[in-house]
Structure formats: structure tokens, C-alpha cells
Amino acid sequence: MTSISPRVDRADRLIAAGFVGGALVEAAVRSHGRPEELALGCLGSGVFVVLAFRRARPLATMTIFTMLGLAWSAVQARLTPHASADSGVVVLAVLVAAYAVGAYGDRRQLLLGAPQPLLLILGVDLLQPTSESLPSVVPFAALFAAAIPVTAGRLARGRAELVEGLEAQARELEARREAQPAAVLARERLRLAEQFHATLVSGMRDLAARVETTADGPLTDGRQVGGIEHAARQLLARTREAVVALAGEPVPSAVEADTAPPFRRPRPDLQPWTALAAAALGAGLTIELPQLPMQVPGPLAVLTCAIVAVPLALAWLAPLAMTATLWVLVAAFDALIAPLDTSFTAIGLAFVPPFAVAALATRRRAAAGLLICGLGELTCFGPAGLADAAVILVLAWVAGSVIQERSRLADQLDRNAQLLAEQRETAERHAVAEERGRLARELHDALGHSLTVVALQAEAARRLWDTDRARAAGLVEVIRATTRDGLADLDAGFAPWPAPDRVGTTAALRELVCRARSAGLHVEADVDLDDDLLGPEAHVVVHRVLQEALTNVLKHAPGALVRVQVGRSGRQVAVAVANTRGGPSRGPDGSGHGLSGMQTRVVACGGQLNWARRPDGGFLVRAALPIAEPAGIAVTVPVPTRTPGPSGLMGPATPAVP
């Protein structure tokens, strides 16, 4: 385990300078005009320079500070024996150095550095004895100068490492969320290919083999063509079932992942460290009882020490209320059991309650808790040592706030990690659902079109077999070409998009029109499209719009006159297919799902699709897709609309009304 921050930055230098300045001010105040004490205090202030390295070298800082502190105390005891050894700046510096050992040191540094605050305080007490006895100094030094700040630093380090781990986890989840859909799509595509292999792929290949045999071999009667018709209609029915199955699964809503409620810190759980701190406080108070002027019998005083510590043990449950209760009990103990104004426990009370309330409560309640601690110090111990106590109060409160902030951040990051995982699952479900929908549209548009043409042409060839053998043979040739294209479309359907050189280009569109004519439609076409105007997806959409419109005419208006226009219109590529009233429908009534699915595809490319009945009983389908802009160039133009011309198709482009 390495140091969290092995650098000496500006903040560290400022902190060290602040301690030096504080030591100079304290020396000036405590010298009372005696030059030798002032000079010695100014000289001793240089010890605090070492705090600039508290994060970069925590063990070295603690060791040097301990050695220099003991040396300075020995010099002070010899030169100014009457001077007071009490120093709030020194106590605060010891706490900061001990905290740094816990927060920034590794295990070896922790083992070597944690006992040094105790050694420093005991050494100073031996060199400059005070009124306090050694048994009362040891618990204070062990608990409040060593154990608590080192533990606080360790907690802060643990939280920092937790935050770093959660941030790394969040980055990993984000990377996986970006990469996962591609893998999910690949797996889903493979699964769907295996699922439909036995029904659609094998069926289409069997149909293609039968058509090839019939086309190449002798045609003895119409039953062979009838078999092709029957097989095509069966496969078309299975295709419709597959489309319904693929499109039947609803797309999960993304709202649940995008509208998560704001973060609220949950009710804190049991915190074992509060029980340990309460036990240490109660034990320290009990140890100090023999040195205090007790006003009640000893057993009752010992019981009272345990009662005073109870609110600290329960601080995790209600930090602000337990802090107030603790100070009420301390005030009662000070007034009724034994005065605490000269005890080391009083200093411990200045450190533990503000740390606990800041670490466990929200920011506003923690600020109120600091105020309660300040009032408690003033009420119980008077204004005499309030300045030194205030320094410890603020330091402890800041340390607790650091723990609180780390805890809040860790909770937030943990929640974010869970949210990212949920979003990844939602994205995967969306990817699967969209892939199923895409494949359903491909099967409906491409394979459905081919099978419809095959079934209708096979029916016509069967009926013409005895009356017009040459025309029937021509229809069988159309069936053969259509079956080949249908099989190719089925193979391409399991790719993200069919190859743009097969569909969408001007040549492919003209081939589609020629095939419609071979199937018996009377088509007048004007296809003039620059292949560079649209992207690959938009090319496919143009092809599918024309394919769907011609298939619908073939099924529902046989014998109708069809006019097709495909070309540029302003900043758009426009497609229009209009047909007159035809003969009776040769297929089931349309459900509109084909055009609705096509509209979804057109809108996804930024275009528009609409359709309507014509006054003469025919039908009109129009689509407009935006022209692809060159890379790095964004042009904003009004979207033109197309008005029906005399033929019911597209008239001149007119700007849309804002």
C-alpha cells in the first residue's frame, strides 16, 4: 500500500506556514514580556516547518517532529523552567501529524508512527512536569493524541481508496456499456439466424432449388408450377409468423434509467467505531476519577461514567440529538459528580463529539452539532481554555466532515455504478429489441416481397399453362430471378444493413422496376438518382420504400398503371409511387404494418413518409429523405414539401412555411 499523495504542494506549505505563524503568536502571548521566553518560543516555531512534508513523508514528519519537540522541551525546561509547557498549537500539530500517518502512510509507517504521539507527550510531561499524574496522561495521549487521529486518517484513506475503486469501476462499466451493445447484437444476430434456419433459410433454399429444377428441366404440366406456388405461400405464411414473433416483444422503456430520483443519503447503519470511542471515553473518565474531587461515592461515579458515554455509542442513530444529550450528561457530571475543568478527558470531549457529529450527520446538522459542542465546552469548562478547545473542536469537526464527504461520495459512486449497470442492461435490451425489429422489417420488406412475387407469378403461370405456354415460361423465369434475390436478401438480413451495391443504387432501383414489369405491372418510371446523395442506410430505405409500394400494387391492384419517380428535389431525395385503380386484390387485405414499419425506417433517417387514396381509386406513396452532407459541413435549410402535380405525383419543390 503506497502513499495516496506523495507530493509537497502549495497547500502543505501554507499549512506549515500557518502553524509557524500560530506558534509565533502563541509565544508572544505566553511570554508576558519576558524576552528569553519569547526568543525561545520564536526559535521553537521552526519545528512546525516539518509539517509541510506530512503527506509526502508522513513517518519522517512524525519522527522529526517528535525528536525536535522533545529537544525543544528539554531546552525550555533548562532555560525557562518556570514557563508553561501547555501549548494548543503543539497539541494541534501532534494531531495533524498523527492523522497524516494514518491517512498517507503504509502499514510499516503506521506501526512505527502511531506510538510516537504518545512518546512525545510522555516525554514532554517528564521533562516539564505538570499537575496531572502520569496515569491520567497516558490514557489521554494514547486515545486522543494517537488512536483517534490515526484512526480518523485511516478511515479517510479507506474512503479515498473506496472512492478510487468505485470511480475505476464506473469507468469500466461505462466502457463496457459502450462496447457491450455490439457484442449483444452479434449474439442476438447469431441466435436469430440459428432460430430461423430451419424454417425460413432452409425453406427458401428448398424453394430456390425447386425453381431452378423446374426452370432448367422439361415443363410437362402446370402441377410443377403449382407446387412452387404452394411452397411459396407456405413459406410466406411462416415469414409472417416470424415477423409477428419478432415484433411482438415490447421495447423496454428508457425512462426508468434516465429519470432516477435524486440522491438522498440513506439512514446510517450501525457504526462500530462509535461504540469503541464511547468505551474509550468512559474508560478514560473512570481512570481519571481518583484524581478528581468526587462528590458521590465511587461506585456511583463509575456507573455515571458509563452512562455519560452511552450517547456517543448511539451517535450513529441520531447524531445531533445524541451530541446534545452527551453534553447535557457531561454538564450534569461536571456539576454533580466531579469537576472536569482540569482533566485530560475535557480535551477528549473537545475532540470526539464534534468529530462524530460531523462524520455522521448531514452538513447542516453537523454545523449545528459544532455549535452545540462549543456551547457545551463554554458551559462545562468556562471561557478560560475556550481558545485552545475551539482549535481542537474545529479540527475534529473538519476531520469528521472529511469522513462524511468521503462516505457521501462513496455512496453516490456506488449508486452511480448500480445505475450504470442498470443502464447497461437496459441498453442491451434495447439493442436486442431494435435488432429484432430491424430483422422483422427486413423479412417483411425483402423476403416478403420476393415470396409474394413468386406466389403471384406462380399462380399466373399455372393458370396460363394450357392457354399461353410461352408467357407462362416467361413468368417462371421471373420466379427464378426473384427467388435468387430473395435468398440473397435473407442472407443479408442478418447483417446490420444489406450491401448498398445490392439495394438503393440507381441500377438496383431500375432493376426493381424491371422486375415489377416482368411480374405483370404497367410501370412508367423516372429514376434519376446520384448514388452519392445518400448514405448506406438511406439507400436501403429508398429501395425498401419502392419495393413495398410495388409489392402492394402487385397484390392489391393488379393491372393498374404505376408511375414511379425517384430523384433529387432541393435538399432532399424524393420517392413517389402512384397507381391507378386496378383489378381485384390477389392477396389478403393489407394491415398497414408494412407502410407503418417503412415510415419508422424513413423517420429514423430524418425523412418523411406519407400515403393516401387517390380520387380515381388508386393509391399514392411519397417519401422524402435529406441529402447526406459532406463530413465536417452542416447546412441548415428549410425542408421542402412536394405538392401533387397533375399526375398525382410530385410537383415543383416549395419551401415549407415556417
Side-chain angles (χ1 to χ4, degrees):
M1 189 179 297
T2 59
S3 175
I4 292 179
S5 179
R7 297 183 301 107
V8 178
D9 55 19
R10 183 178 181 182
D12 295 327
R13 297 188 183 96
L14 290 176
I15 289 175
F19 271 98
V20 171
L24 291 174
V25 172
E26 187 178 55
V29 172
R30 291 181 178 274
S31 64
H32 300 291
R34 290 188 286 269
E36 65 279 7
E37 291 188 19
L38 178 60
L40 188 59
C42 293
L43 180 63
S45 64
V47 174
F48 300 99
V49 173
V50 73
L51 292 177
F53 303 92
R54 63 186 182 88
R55 292 196 296 174
R57 298 289 184 268
L59 178 60
T61 298
M62 187 76 254
T63 302
I64 294 173
F65 187 81
T66 299
M67 296 173 60
L68 293 178
L70 291 174
W72 178 75
S73 182
V75 171
Q76 186 183 42
R78 175 176 293 273
L79 298 180
T80 58
H82 56 279
S84 173
D86 297 332
S87 173
V89 177
V90 172
V91 173
L92 184 59
V94 170
L95 297 178
V96 170
Y99 175 87
V101 170
Y104 308 111
D106 56 24
R107 293 181 179 178
R108 182 184 64 85
Q109 294 171 338
L110 183 65
L111 292 175
L112 296 176
Q116 293 189 28
L118 175 61
L119 298 177
L120 175 60
I121 292 178
L122 292 179
V124 171
D125 187 73
L126 292 174
L127 292 171
Q128 295 177 283
T130 63
S131 58
E132 302 296 334
S133 62
L134 189 61
S136 63
V137 173
V138 172
F140 164 77
L143 178 63
F144 300 113
I148 291 180
V150 169
T151 302
R154 214 61 186 171
L155 288 174
R157 181 190 182 94
R159 291 296 182 182
E161 292 173 347
L162 176 61
V163 168
E164 291 177 1
L166 287 172
E167 289 176 343
Q169 181 184 14
R171 289 192 297 269
E172 179 183 358
L173 285 172
E174 183 66 25
R176 290 176 60 186
R177 187 180 67 169
E178 294 177 356
Q180 194 73 7
V184 171
L185 285 180
R187 290 197 303 267
E188 180 66 10
R189 198 168 294 129
L190 178 61
R191 188 187 68 80
L192 292 175
E194 294 174 350
Q195 175 182 340
F196 294 119
H197 183 273
T199 56
L200 300 183
V201 179
S202 298
M204 195 64 188
R205 287 175 179 170
D206 291 343
L207 178 62
R210 177 178 295 189
V211 172
E212 293 289 342
T213 301
T214 303
D216 294 338
L219 300 176
T220 57
D221 55 40
R223 287 180 297 180
Q224 292 174 307
V225 181
I228 294 174
E229 177 191 356
H230 179 70
R233 293 190 184 279
Q234 282 188 329
L235 189 57
L236 183 60
R238 290 199 294 268
T239 301
R240 289 170 179 164
E241 293 174 358
V243 170
V244 171
L246 286 170
E249 183 175 332
V251 178
S253 174
V255 175
E256 58 189 70
D258 295 336
T259 58
F263 173 76
R264 290 184 176 87
R265 181 170 175 79
R267 182 176 179 176
D269 297 326
L270 176 65
Q271 300 290 332
W273 66 267
T274 60
L276 294 176
L281 179 64
L285 192 56
T286 302
I287 292 173
E288 283 195 322
L289 276 178
Q291 284 76 41
L292 301 177
M294 291 186 292
Q295 304 174 25
V296 297
L300 179 59
V302 172
L303 177 62
T304 307
C305 292
I307 295 175
V308 168
V310 168
L312 181 58
L314 301 177
W316 59 270
L317 185 60
L320 186 61
M322 291 298 104
T323 299
T325 303
L326 173 65
W327 281 105
V328 169
L329 293 178
V330 169
F333 186 95
D334 182 72
L336 303 176
I337 306 301
L340 297 172
D341 56 334
T342 59
S343 68
F344 283 108
T345 304
I347 302 178
L349 287 170
F351 185 89
V352 178
F355 175 85
V357 73
L360 298 174
T362 60
R363 180 59 60 88
R364 183 176 299 179
R365 290 179 176 271
L370 178 62
L371 179 61
I372 290 174
C373 292
L375 293 176
E377 283 283 344
L378 181 62
T379 302
C380 297
F381 309 118
L386 186 60
D388 293 338
V391 173
I392 300 177
L393 282 172
V394 172
L395 173 68
W397 188 86
V398 170
S401 297
V402 171
I403 299 297
Q404 162 66 244
E405 183 64 21
R406 292 289 187 183
S407 299
R408 189 201 66 80
L409 185 58
D411 291 341
Q412 181 69 72
L413 286 173
D414 183 58
R415 179 178 177 275
N416 289 345
Q418 295 177 3
L419 185 59
L420 282 174
E422 294 172 1
Q423 288 178 341
R424 188 192 69 188
E425 294 176 1
T426 301
E428 292 176 3
R429 291 196 300 269
H430 270 286
V432 169
E434 289 187 2
E435 173 62 15
R436 292 171 66 91
R438 184 198 66 80
L439 183 57
R441 291 190 296 269
E442 284 296 320
L443 291 178
H444 175 276
D445 298 339
L447 186 59
H449 164 78
S450 299
L451 291 174
T452 298
V453 172
V454 169
L456 294 178
Q457 298 310 299
E459 179 186 3
R462 177 176 53 81
R463 291 178 178 178
L464 293 172
W465 185 258
D466 294 329
T467 59
D468 193 344
R469 184 71 59 89
R471 186 178 176 188
L475 293 177
V476 171
E477 189 63 29
V478 172
I479 292 172
R480 181 183 185 185
T482 304
T483 305
R484 288 175 177 174
D485 288 342
L487 186 58
D489 283 336
L490 181 60
D491 291 336
F494 293 100
W497 287 95
D501 58 344
R502 275 201 351 99
V503 295
T505 61
T506 301
L509 294 175
R510 289 173 179 169
E511 174 66 23
L512 190 60
V513 171
C514 292
R515 192 178 305 159
R517 288 172 179 159
S518 301
L521 289 180
H522 304 286
V523 184
E524 297 178 1
D526 180 11
V527 179
D528 184 12
L529 178 64
D530 187 348
D531 293 341
D532 295 331
L533 293 178
L534 297 174
E537 295 183 5
H539 272 301
V540 175
V541 170
V542 169
H543 190 100
R544 296 305 186 214
V545 168
L546 182 57
Q547 187 180 59
E548 175 72 15
L550 292 176
T551 302
N552 286 341
V553 175
L554 187 64
K555 288 193 298 184
H556 305 300
L561 174 63
V562 185
R563 283 199 64 185
V564 174
Q565 286 186 346
V566 181
R568 178 168 181 167
S569 177
R571 303 298 302 176
Q572 294 178 321
V573 169
V575 181
V577 180
N579 64 275
T580 61
R581 186 187 183 102
S585 176
R586 299 165 64 184
D589 293 337
S591 61
H593 290 308
L595 288 173
S596 298
M598 193 60 60
Q599 186 177 48
T600 301
R601 298 176 71 164
V602 172
V603 172
C605 290
Q608 296 178 344
L609 176 73
N610 53 69
W611 60 89
R613 292 281 180 185
R614 296 176 62 190
D616 62 356
F619 202 76
L620 172 64
V621 177
R622 291 188 298 184
L625 289 90
I627 293 175
E629 299 295 343
I633 301 177
V635 180
T636 303
V637 297
V639 178
T641 59
R642 303 291 286 173
T643 57
S647 64
L649 295 180
M650 297 174 294
T654 57
V657 179

